[in-house]
Amino acid sequence: MAQDQTKHEDYVTPVRRLLVGCLVVLLLGLFLVWRIDNPRVERLRANVTDAIVSRMDWAMAPVTATINLARGFRSYQQISHQNQELRKELKKMKIFKEAARQLEEENARLLDLNRLKLNPKLTEVSGIILADSGSPFNQSVLLNVGRRDGIQDGWAAMDGLGLVGRIFGIGENTSRVILLTDISSRIPVTIEPSGQNAFVSGDNSIAPIIDFLEDANQVRPGDRIVTSGRGGVLPPDLLLGHLAVDSENRLRVRLSADYERLEFVRVLRDYDREEITETGQLIAPEFQAVDPLPTNKDGG
Amino acid sequence: MTPRGMIYPLIFVFISLLFMFFRMLPLDLTVRNWTAPDFLICFMLAWSMRKPEAVPSILIAAIFLIQDFLFQRPPGLYAALALLLCEWSKRQALLAEEFPFLIEWLTATMAMVALFVSYRLVLSLSLSALAPFRLSLFELLITIVSYPIIVGICRYALRLKSPKSLPFDTINRSRS
């Protein structure tokens, strides 16, 4: 019993309390710093994540592959059914392909008339998805490309078809993509063909919601939604998905990117982005800097 | 600490890393309206009540801070609260005269509810973004329900018996 007694004292001594108290204060201090100086702590987070995940990399890929393989076996049961569906779809696709070929020819002719060139600055880096955010409250993934590969904050990440998200947080070998479905994701978009501007904001559901639409009467379900490129946040004309209406009559985006089978993403290099280097100017521009009579300067 | 005494903290570190590893695998990237229980908090509470010397507070702080960083949570807050609860449940278990499983489960439940409430309270007071309420509540409930499973694993796979549930002789023998 005597040993038991010493054990009790071990856990209630003031020294011990002091240690625990110090640790708690340190941790809460970190939280406070995060609240005040978010970018710095987020950089620290990116570096910590980078250090840990790039070390677990060798194990993550095979384990993920094995589990996916096991899931694949289960889906083989439905394979004949799937096969028939695919044949039907293929027939439809052939019709579309023909139409597309004709359009392509026409487009080529028109481009030639216009002497138009596609933006050569938009090249891409492909990245493999290493890990997800690990909690159901945040929708983000970790890629195996980082500062080493020249990735910068804010670049767009696409899968084969549509926009997946934006880069937020870069480590040496890894970078994080905030998916469109995340609560903190806001993307300025244009709804084609009416040309209405709006914002697509994630709300932790599979179909992000459409906010700040100019005129809701001019859009209808099925309209294409592309990035508008406003504010220099993302390059323009990247496909997000199509408009849909949910049961509560709110406008949402049915995303084109296939989030269920996301393994690789392409990160678009985009050096033309506006850099935000100082905090104050974004909110309140310097009024003194604006010349009240610009005509004087130009010499009339 | 003796080399023998180091074994349990090392097992604890290993198991926590394993939990984090499996939660981070990119298996399902679509949005879910369900979530797996937070096994790590169950595990931490079970160990701090059953084998307090195996979970030093500095270890708890480090593991939960890493978890905060990896899981995109506000860094430090969850770790600080988890550490406080760990200390609290250690004392509950050590100072109690007897500690049947039902009381242990109740203590763990109280700890988790306190964590849930205080975490959300501090976040909303500091005007930070809050996780969806229903999903968080679901996670809390399923974590409480899964506590006995974790204790079962600890008991039969790791032979981690509550000292108070053992006869007195065995305690002395195992400690000498």
Side-chain angles (χ1 to χ4, degrees), chain A residues 191 203 205-210 213 215-225 241-255:
Chain A
I191 301 174
D203 61 345
S205 72
I206 187 70
I209 209 158
I210 292 180
L213 184 63
D215 183 4
N217 293 325
Q218 291 195 35
V219 297
R220 53 174 61 95
D223 283 0
R224 286 177 83 240
I225 296 172
H242 297 273
L243 192 78
V245 180
D246 70 359
S247 54
E248 289 160 45
N249 255 337
R250 275 174 307 187
L251 296 175
R252 290 181 177 275
V253 186
R254 186 171 294 129
L255 294 171

Side-chain angles (χ1 to χ4, degrees), chain A residues 18 67 75 121 129 154 168 183 194 222 230 254 261 283 294:
Chain A
L18 194 69
I67 294 176
S75 72
K121 282 183 184 163
I129 292 175
F168 175 80
I183 290 185
S194 60
R230 286 202 163 190
R254 186 171 294 129
R261 290 193 195 85
I283 300 159

Side-chain angles (χ1 to χ4, degrees), chain A residues 17-47:
Chain A
R17 277 191 185 173
L18 194 69
L19 176 77
V20 172
C22 281
L23 278 173
V24 170
V25 167
L26 271 179
L27 290 170
L28 287 180
L30 182 65
F31 171 67
L32 216 63
V33 173
W34 173 80
R35 201 68 200 101
I36 296 163
D37 188 3
N38 195 304
R40 192 164 312 215
V41 180
E42 287 298 337
R43 265 203 301 279
L44 174 70
R45 186 206 291 276
N47 288 335

Side-chain angles (χ1 to χ4, degrees), chain A residues 17-290:
Chain A
R17 277 191 185 173
L18 194 69
L19 176 77
V20 172
C22 281
L23 278 173
V24 170
V25 167
L26 271 179
L27 290 170
L28 287 180
L30 182 65
F31 171 67
L32 216 63
V33 173
W34 173 80
R35 201 68 200 101
I36 296 163
D37 188 3
N38 195 304
R40 192 164 312 215
V41 180
E42 287 298 337
R43 265 203 301 279
L44 174 70
R45 186 206 291 276
N47 288 335
V48 170
T49 315
D50 185 72
I52 294 170
V53 176
S54 49
R55 241 154 247 165
M56 301 202 305
D57 186 9
W58 57 272
M60 273 185 150
V63 173
T64 312
T66 314
I67 294 176
N68 279 335
L69 196 71
R71 282 183 180 173
F73 272 119
R74 220 181 303 150
S75 72
Y76 287 155
Q77 295 164 349
Q78 312 151 355
I79 213 156
S80 69
H81 177 70
Q82 213 173 19
N83 201 359
Q84 279 180 344
E85 295 237 315
L86 284 177
R87 269 168 214 267
K88 264 185 226 162
E89 269 181 40
L90 192 67
K91 244 178 231 170
K92 262 189 238 166
M93 286 302 158
K94 273 184 182 156
I95 302 170
F96 282 128
K97 193 181 162 192
E98 196 46 48
R101 196 170 284 157
Q102 286 171 11
L103 284 175
E104 196 182 3
E105 279 173 21
E106 191 185 338
N107 195 19
R109 264 182 279 131
L110 290 174
L111 280 180
D112 191 42
L113 280 178
N114 256 340
R115 307 238 173 262
L116 192 74
K117 271 185 194 160
L118 290 175
N119 193 349
K121 282 183 184 163
L122 279 184
T123 54
E124 60 193 37
V125 194
S126 296
I128 300 175
I129 292 175
L130 288 179
D132 70 5
S133 68
S135 84
F137 309 116
N138 296 296
Q139 311 298 327
S140 66
V141 292
L142 215 59
L143 302 184
N144 71 338
V145 287
R147 199 176 295 119
R148 182 190 55 182
D149 309 277
I151 304 286
Q152 289 179 11
D153 255 332
W155 281 3
M158 319 253 310
D159 79 341
L161 272 177
L163 191 70
V164 170
R166 291 178 64 199
I167 300 281
F168 175 80
I170 312 164
E172 192 55 36
N173 306 311
T174 55
S175 54
R176 188 173 289 280
V177 176
I178 298 284
L179 302 180
L180 297 176
T181 47
D182 190 86
I183 290 185
S184 59
S185 161
R186 301 277 181 283
I187 309 281
V189 295
T190 306
I191 301 174
E192 305 284 2
S194 60
Q196 296 276 302
N197 285 310
F199 271 87
V200 167
S201 41
D203 61 345
N204 226 1
S205 72
I206 187 70
I209 209 158
I210 292 180
D211 272 341
F212 305 110
L213 184 63
E214 288 164 358
D215 183 4
N217 293 325
Q218 291 195 35
V219 297
R220 53 174 61 95
D223 283 0
R224 286 177 83 240
I225 296 172
V226 296
T227 54
S228 68
R230 286 202 163 190
V233 180
L234 288 173
D237 295 328
L238 305 177
L239 180 67
L240 263 82
H242 297 273
L243 192 78
V245 180
D246 70 359
S247 54
E248 289 160 45
N249 255 337
R250 275 174 307 187
L251 296 175
R252 290 181 177 275
V253 186
R254 186 171 294 129
L255 294 171
S256 292
D258 189 359
Y259 276 49
E260 277 175 46
R261 290 193 195 85
L262 217 52
E263 283 177 44
F264 303 90
V265 295
R266 304 178 304 156
V267 182
L268 298 186
R269 288 201 186 90
D270 177 14
Y271 293 107
D272 284 345
R273 285 182 51 254
E274 211 163 296
E275 289 278 328
I276 300 169
T277 46
E278 288 169 44
T279 43
Q281 294 196 325
L282 187 69
I283 300 159
E286 282 178 54
F287 290 106
Q288 286 83 356
V290 181

Side-chain angles (χ1 to χ4, degrees), chain A residues 1 3-4 7-8 11-12 16-17 19-20 23-24 27-28 30-32 34-35 41-42 44-46 48-49 52-53 56 59-61 63-64 67-68 71 129-142 168 176 178-179 181 183 203-206 259-260 262-263, chain B residues 17 20-32 34-36 52-58 61 65-66 68-77 79-81 83-84 87 90-91 94-96 122-123 126-132 135-136 139 164 168 171-172 175-176:
Chain A
M1 208 62 200
Q3 276 180 339
D4 236 27
K7 270 219 162 327
H8 284 195
Y11 286 92
V12 244
R16 205 185 140 65
R17 277 191 185 173
L19 176 77
V20 172
L23 278 173
V24 170
L27 290 170
L28 287 180
L30 182 65
F31 171 67
L32 216 63
W34 173 80
R35 201 68 200 101
V41 180
E42 287 298 337
L44 174 70
R45 186 206 291 276
V48 170
T49 315
I52 294 170
V53 176
M56 301 202 305
M60 273 185 150
V63 173
T64 312
I67 294 176
N68 279 335
R71 282 183 180 173
I129 292 175
L130 288 179
D132 70 5
S133 68
S135 84
F137 309 116
N138 296 296
Q139 311 298 327
S140 66
V141 292
L142 215 59
F168 175 80
R176 188 173 289 280
I178 298 284
L179 302 180
T181 47
I183 290 185
D203 61 345
N204 226 1
S205 72
I206 187 70
Y259 276 49
E260 277 175 46
L262 217 52
E263 283 177 44
Chain B
L17 288 180
M20 281 191 246
F21 175 82
F22 274 101
R23 283 200 84 162
M24 285 189 67
L25 286 183
L27 293 175
D28 190 3
L29 297 179
T30 53
V31 180
R32 289 168 289 174
W34 59 277
T35 161
E53 67 271 24
V55 278
S57 28
I58 187 118
L65 187 62
I66 288 176
D68 278 355
F69 273 131
L70 287 181
F71 290 1
Q72 300 287 297
R73 280 198 296 247
L77 179 59
L81 295 174
L83 178 59
L84 282 175
E87 291 304 310
K90 271 182 197 172
R91 286 190 57 192
L94 279 167
L95 298 178
V122 175
L123 276 188
S126 68
L127 303 176
S128 315
L130 274 174
L135 193 58
S136 323
E139 186 179 34
K164 298 242 162 83
F168 186 58
I171 301 177
N172 271 353
R175 281 189 187 161
S176 54

